[in-house]
Amino acid sequence: MAAVFLAATAATLQAEVALVPEKVAPLVADRQDFLPPDLVSLSGWVGRRIEVNEANRLVQLDTDRLLEGYRKRPGRQSYDGEHVGKWLHAATLAWVYTGDPALRKKLDFVAAELVKCQLPDGYLGTYLDKDRWTDWDVWAHKYNLIGLITYVRFTGNLEPLPACCRMADLLCSTFGDAPGKRDLIRAGHHVGLAPTSVLEPMVLLYRLTGERRYLEFCEYILRAWEQPNGPKIISTLLTAKRVDKVGNGKAYEMLSCLNGALEYYRTASDHRLLEACLNAWQDIVDNRLYLTGAASYGELFHDDFDLPNVDNVGETCVTVTWLQFNAQLLRLTGEARFADQLERVVLNQLMGAQKPDGSAWGYYVQMEGKKPYTSTLDGQCCLSSGPRGIALIPTFAVTTDPEGVVVNLYDTALARLSLHDGTPAAVDIEGAFPSDGHVRVRVDSTSRKPFMVKLRQPVWCTNTLVLVNGRVLEGPPVINGYLAITRSWHRHEVIELEFKLEPRVIVGDHLNEGKIALVYGPLVLAADEALLGFTNLSFKTVGVAEKPLPLLEFTPEPASNRFRTWPGAEVFRINGIVRRATGPLTAGERLPVRLVPFADAGATGGEYKVWLPVGLVATANLLFEAGESRSRKGNLYGSIADDDPSTLVTTFDGKPADEDWFALTLDEPATITRVVFMHGRTFHDGGWFDTSAGKPKVQAKSAADAAWETLGELADYPATTATDPAKLKGGEAFILKLPTPAKVLVLRVIGKPACGDNPKQAFSSCAELQAYKDK
Ligand SMILES: [Zn+2]
């Protein structure tokens, strides 16, 4: 079925694009088709991002830099070999989309030059002989296969295909569970998640060539996952149903494996793999997904709702593999819930990682801070991943299925499609979505037979008004989350959709207790320092006085020139509250605060944040923004003086210590009556104070040259030991009420750090240190 459709599609492509057919038809037919990118042209906000991805990034990349690790082994960095394959994948899709001859020329050159670097035995990694198969070279072969197979299929240039087979044959002859072969799990990192993710292109190469040994290698990978030293991907997802329990929880490599598992399921119809992947998806959506569609911090999946706003949050490689995972599930099931996640991750986290002009990308794109845009590749896996995500958008934005056509994204677009019976159908989407909720979809077909147009009913919109040729359509059927309209589509049939774009308040929980985030339709909004407009105000304190929407006076406004990244760009004014950065730390002031879509936040270089504190006026923490110091620098660099417990610090340096302290220094002495210490986080190897020899103490100096004076101890701090945190998890507050007011210039909490399960070291952590003067 799918093979027949691919052949039908190929006939409608322009002359230079002829999709090379696969020799093996998948056993599982897709419920929604993967569309060659030249059939859909997007021209709204998303379309602009696709355009600059090609023009300012993919065409601009230096080809010598992409190839240098292969031309002169070893590469300058351990996983430097992955970039060229990722570029070939993204640039091929981008070239199909635009037809740009300059990009095609570059593609032909890079594909040919890469093949020239292959060694006689088929090896195409960046390592020296002595270092083969121990680090990131199976991984690089994976990306070279993905890149070259994509290039071969879309350009019709079969020249690199024998090189792909030689790479695959080398993998087949080197790795396996037969005697004398090497263990693939040991050929790379993260409990084998990295090397075994070569599953995806091995399945694709099997389908393209029909060579059964490649399928047998895939079967070996599935066995290796479950062997004693393997990551136990499928068994864990079928039983525990939690991604943080798979292997070491490394998100990018795991999602890469799951994308391969779905490709295998499509090919060989092993239903356990689909079930395992659906369990993984549900677990991520329910417990491990950020509002913007980011899905990891520190590059790992963590415990339920353990989603700090900073701490290497939102690796772009994870964002892109999560997008691919949803696109795979959408193709296989035809269910809109996966398209809803695609909209969420594309409009927020993915576009938030891409610099609006397309020239640079961010590695970790967090819920607050500054956007870390860079345009080099050195040590930056994400900078070659981001462009792949953007280049994939036209493959699922508007597509076809056995019943007709499907609209997944509402960006302005023109799609020239072929129905499964070969009849042409055009879908023209007009409007200024997501700034305007009024979307016109014109369907145009010569088909005499009725067919179905499916329009995604967005999860954020409870009630969509639908008109067909100007008449309200009452209660259209909803199939798999799509409004389904079946009729004979004569020329210029127009469907109008009225999505109610409304602001919604998301009340923070877990690590965002006491904060809110604002969303508008599909957009996650963020405060942006550059929109504050007053230099004597502290961006850190920007928040809201109370959370009910009417009091926030939410108002969309056209963006000013500086923030107009596309013609429909908007900013969103709310009734906010800000505290002065200098002067007396008393009450906050009510001021209009403007928010921007997360995708554009921080684009002018300033700080941004998604989660806004509520009720700032009530707190008058005298140590707010005081000077910070601690006994050891540690490895987390949040703040203990920003009234934000989600940004923490540690003293971790891999060494033991008998004493740790966290201190704040004021400009002028202040009188205080109450001290609040907030625990940072409990790690397996420490992070808390060991109280077996006494509770943590609060000490103060009244002048710079004065001696430390003990004001008291944190009596409520639990009875911990060096190895037992006594149920401390993170963010707990411990209070010392002073019997008499004290004048302090410097205040600190001091105690003995704990070692957890690693007695060779010890460290502690702190989320906040605050002091108040109660009446
Ligand atoms: Zn990365």
Side-chain angles (χ1 to χ4, degrees):
M1 184 64 183
V4 170
F5 171 68
L6 286 176
T9 305
T12 67
L13 296 175
Q14 290 165 3
E16 68 271 31
V17 182
L19 197 59
V20 172
E22 294 175 324
K23 287 198 174 145
V24 178
L27 289 183
V28 178
D30 281 345
R31 291 289 307 146
Q32 242 180 62
D33 303 307
F34 170 90
L35 227 57
D38 61 336
L39 301 184
V40 182
S41 172
L42 294 92
S43 54
W45 188 31
V46 177
R48 206 175 183 88
R49 294 296 195 105
I50 297 171
E51 195 184 311
V52 294
N53 186 47
E54 196 237 331
N56 295 342
R57 180 72 189 164
L58 292 166
V59 179
Q60 304 299 332
L61 263 188
D62 175 9
T63 52
D64 288 335
R65 172 67 190 89
L66 287 172
L67 292 159
E68 68 163 42
Y70 291 92
R71 286 172 168 166
K72 195 171 183 306
R73 293 180 173 93
R76 66 170 82 176
Q77 190 265 341
S78 62
Y79 48 85
D80 208 45
E82 74 185 45
H83 295 305
V84 66
K86 289 157 90 176
W87 180 86
L88 277 167
H89 177 246
T92 300
L93 294 172
W95 166 72
V96 177
Y97 183 75
T98 62
D100 177 0
L103 186 56
R104 174 62 196 267
K105 205 172 152 201
K106 213 159 176 167
L107 271 168
D108 292 343
F109 175 77
V110 171
E113 288 296 304
L114 179 63
V115 169
K116 279 186 204 164
C117 299
Q118 189 169 37
L119 297 178
D121 68 350
Y123 183 84
L124 192 51
T126 59
Y127 288 74
L128 300 176
D129 270 4
K130 64 182 177 63
D131 299 320
R132 273 194 191 187
W133 311 132
T134 56
D135 202 4
W136 289 99
D137 50 355
V138 178
W139 180 257
H141 282 74
K142 170 186 81 172
Y143 278 120
N144 286 336
L145 285 168
I146 288 175
L148 289 172
I149 291 170
T150 308
Y151 170 85
V152 164
R153 286 210 71 203
F154 281 103
T155 63
N157 176 7
L158 301 181
E159 274 172 30
L161 192 53
C164 294
C165 293
R166 284 200 301 275
M167 269 191 270
D169 290 340
L170 178 65
L171 293 173
C172 291
S173 63
T174 306
F175 299 103
D177 42 14
K181 290 200 170 177
R182 293 173 78 132
D183 179 0
L184 185 61
I185 298 292
R186 292 179 197 277
H189 296 269
H190 306 298
V191 200
L193 289 173
T196 57
S197 65
V198 74
L199 175 64
E200 183 188 353
M202 289 300 280
V203 179
L204 294 174
L205 191 62
Y206 163 65
R207 289 217 307 266
L208 185 59
T209 62
E211 296 293 342
R212 232 197 122 71
R213 61 187 181 278
Y214 303 147
L215 186 69
E216 284 161 7
F217 188 76
C218 298
E219 288 158 4
Y220 157 63
I221 289 179
L222 298 180
R223 289 195 301 277
W225 281 352
E226 301 301 328
Q227 71 191 31
N229 65 343
K232 317 279 191 304
I233 301 178
I234 303 304
S235 57
T236 306
L237 290 175
L238 289 176
T239 53
K241 304 182 182 181
R242 290 177 63 135
V243 290
D244 59 324
K245 303 294 181 200
V246 171
N248 63 348
K250 185 75 165 57
Y252 172 25
E253 285 75 0
M254 191 191 311
L255 286 167
S256 303
C257 285
L258 295 183
N259 288 327
L262 289 175
E263 205 58 67
Y264 182 87
Y265 163 72
R266 172 177 291 115
T267 307
S269 186
D270 178 344
H271 279 267
R272 290 175 331 126
L273 299 188
L274 179 64
E275 193 188 333
C277 287
L278 289 170
N279 288 347
W281 183 87
Q282 197 67 52
D283 176 52
I284 292 168
V285 168
D286 290 347
N287 306 311
R288 271 162 269 283
L289 197 61
Y290 284 85
L291 208 52
T292 55
S296 67
Y297 76 85
E299 307 195 357
L300 305 175
F301 290 119
H302 294 265
D303 203 356
D304 292 0
F305 315 117
D306 181 5
L307 299 166
N309 293 322
V310 292
D311 198 353
N312 295 346
V313 169
E315 184 193 1
T316 295
C317 294
V318 179
T319 302
V320 171
T321 40
W322 170 244
L323 175 151
Q324 291 178 301
F325 189 48
N326 279 285
Q328 280 278 24
L329 288 168
L330 178 66
R331 288 169 60 192
L332 287 164
T333 67
E335 293 174 21
R337 57 183 173 143
F338 304 112
D340 277 321
Q341 292 299 336
L342 285 168
E343 179 185 66
R344 178 186 193 173
V345 71
V346 166
L347 294 186
N348 297 291
Q349 189 68 28
L350 181 68
M351 283 166 55
Q354 180 195 34
K355 196 173 178 194
D357 72 3
S359 65
W361 282 85
Y363 193 141
Y364 302 117
V365 178
Q366 316 203 89
M367 296 305 107
E368 61 188 60
K370 291 189 177 188
K371 291 278 176 75
Y373 300 131
T374 59
S375 55
T376 67
L377 293 172
D378 299 343
Q380 305 250 10
C381 45
C382 295
L383 298 205
S384 52
S385 288
R388 302 176 69 207
I390 295 283
L392 279 164
I393 295 170
T395 68
F396 57 74
V398 182
T399 183
T400 44
D401 75 356
E403 287 82 46
V405 302
V406 189
V407 178
N408 286 313
L409 298 184
Y410 290 103
D411 204 61
T412 311
L414 182 59
R416 302 204 173 281
L417 311 173
S418 279
L419 302 178
H420 278 206
D421 66 5
T423 319
V427 178
D428 191 355
I429 303 173
E430 294 170 0
F433 187 83
S435 287
D436 186 343
H438 185 82
V439 175
R440 282 163 57 92
V441 180
R442 215 175 63 213
V443 183
D444 207 347
S445 176
T446 53
S447 176
R448 301 249 166 236
K449 281 182 278 177
F451 64 88
M452 193 182 283
V453 173
K454 294 199 184 91
L455 304 143
R456 183 174 54 89
Q457 165 66 59
V459 69
W460 46 264
C461 183
T462 47
N463 201 353
T464 306
L465 183 67
V466 186
L467 295 92
V468 177
N469 295 333
R471 284 194 159 163
V472 173
L473 189 67
E474 297 289 354
V478 177
I479 299 174
N480 282 337
Y482 293 93
L483 302 163
I485 306 174
T486 307
R487 52 190 284 137
S488 292
W489 299 93
H490 303 297
R491 288 187 172 276
H492 305 309
E493 300 274 331
V494 176
I495 305 168
E496 285 170 276
L497 299 164
E498 198 67 63
F499 299 122
K500 206 163 179 198
L501 291 173
E502 286 179 306
R504 298 185 316 285
V505 169
I506 310 292
V507 177
D509 51 19
H510 304 282
L511 297 176
N512 281 314
E513 200 84 55
K515 296 183 190 174
I516 61 160
L518 280 154
V519 295
Y520 182 68
L523 301 176
V524 176
L525 305 182
D528 189 319
E529 190 179 19
L531 280 163
L532 205 51
F534 302 92
T535 50
N536 66 334
L537 299 174
S538 165
F539 180 69
K540 276 187 177 169
T541 70
V542 167
V544 293
E546 52 262 298
K547 57 187 163 224
L549 259 175
L551 292 176
L552 293 178
E553 296 173 18
F554 186 97
T555 317
E557 298 173 341
S560 64
N561 274 342
R562 196 168 163 220
F563 291 89
R564 192 174 300 132
T565 56
W566 66 292
E570 287 184 320
V571 298
F572 305 87
R573 181 162 51 84
I574 58 166
N575 184 8
I577 190 160
V578 189
R579 220 153 46 179
R580 292 188 181 286
T582 54
L585 298 176
T586 52
E589 293 178 33
R590 279 172 187 275
L591 287 169
V593 166
R594 285 178 178 79
L595 311 176
V596 283
F598 182 78
D600 285 344
T604 56
E607 281 196 52
Y608 66 91
K609 62 179 170 186
V610 169
W611 291 96
L612 308 172
V614 180
L616 207 59
V617 194
T619 75
N621 168 22
L622 296 165
L623 298 180
F624 181 75
E625 295 196 341
E628 302 187 35
S629 55
R630 52 188 176 269
S631 50
R632 290 177 287 163
K633 188 164 167 258
N635 66 339
L636 286 181
Y637 314 120
S639 168
I640 64 170
D642 62 351
D643 283 0
D644 180 357
S646 71
T647 61
L648 54 131
V649 301
T650 68
T651 57
F652 177 85
D653 59 6
K655 295 180 185 133
D658 290 332
E659 199 175 81
D660 263 349
W661 51 263
F662 301 92
L664 292 175
T665 304
L666 290 163
D667 295 337
E668 301 285 334
T671 303
I672 64 168
T673 60
R674 176 165 56 101
V675 175
V676 179
F677 171 82
M678 285 188 206
H679 170 56
R681 188 134 39 90
T682 298
F683 301 83
H684 67 93
D685 53 353
W688 64 93
F689 287 122
D690 165 11
T691 64
S692 48
K695 297 286 172 92
K697 289 184 175 59
V698 176
Q699 297 184 327
K701 281 184 188 185
S702 57
D705 54 359
W708 286 109
E709 185 192 339
T710 298
L711 301 181
E713 61 176 34
L714 301 174
D716 295 337
Y717 199 93
T720 55
T721 67
T723 55
D724 176 16
K727 298 204 168 114
L728 267 179
K729 288 196 82 168
E732 292 93 338
F734 303 101
I735 299 169
L736 171 67
K737 283 189 174 160
L738 305 181
T740 54
K743 202 172 123 187
V744 303
L745 184 71
V746 192
L747 190 86
R748 73 176 180 182
V749 167
I750 182 165
K752 186 179 181 201
C755 65
D757 60 12
N758 180 4
K760 292 194 180 120
Q761 54 82 53
F763 70 101
S764 55
S765 64
C766 176
E768 286 298 306
L769 180 56
Q770 301 171 335
Y772 298 87
K773 186 185 176 198
D774 298 320
K775 291 206 176 86

